Amino acid sequence: VQGKVRFNRLTCAEENQNWAGIFVRFSWFDTHGRLQHESEVVDGLDLDHTFTFHQICTHDFLQYLERGLMTIQIRAYEKGKVKDQELRELRVKLRKAE
């Protein structure tokens, strides 16, 4: 089974928020509820992130799709707290390197 989950635009916030960047963290079938997938940090409210998956169609995967449960968390960095954003980027690079 192949598919895509797309995160477009954060619509419940105002453009002039005191944010240096936003990103989305989310779970998927392979993470068992843990928020291990992340988008890039973007300025503004346009996330424009597509998560593409390729999954073997097993009984467990079909049950996951039937339940319709995907945990999503929107995170933002405040302006003036650039160190937090830099630390996150380093953590993401370390995870990819492992």
Side-chain angles (χ1 to χ4, degrees):
V1 176
Q2 298 181 65
K4 295 179 182 179
V5 177
R6 182 157 173 77
F7 301 97
N8 288 319
R9 180 175 173 79
L10 183 61
T11 59
C12 62
E14 298 177 21
E15 283 283 349
N16 61 358
Q17 292 285 339
N18 193 30
W19 296 334
I22 63 170
F23 66 101
V24 63
R25 298 176 69 206
F26 55 98
S27 66
W28 187 244
F29 175 71
D30 62 341
T31 66
H32 307 286
R34 293 183 303 276
L35 302 173
Q36 292 182 330
H37 297 283
E38 296 183 1
S39 70
E40 296 292 323
V41 176
V42 297
D43 293 328
L45 301 176
D46 292 318
L47 287 164
D48 195 29
H49 178 73
T50 301
F51 170 66
T52 304
F53 65 89
H54 303 278
Q55 189 67 45
I56 296 173
C57 193
T58 63
H59 177 71
D60 288 340
F61 182 66
L62 290 174
Q63 280 187 323
Y64 174 80
L65 292 177
E66 286 176 8
R67 281 183 272 148
L69 181 64
M70 181 178 187
T71 306
I72 300 169
Q73 181 182 63
I74 305 295
R75 303 289 306 258
Y77 291 105
E78 289 184 66
K79 291 180 181 171
K81 295 196 176 184
V82 178
K83 287 183 184 180
D84 293 340
Q85 187 171 345
E86 290 171 353
L87 284 172
R88 178 203 173 264
E89 290 170 2
L90 286 173
R91 281 189 213 112
V92 168
K93 286 179 185 177
L94 282 172
R95 270 189 243 138
K96 287 181 181 178
E98 291 175 344

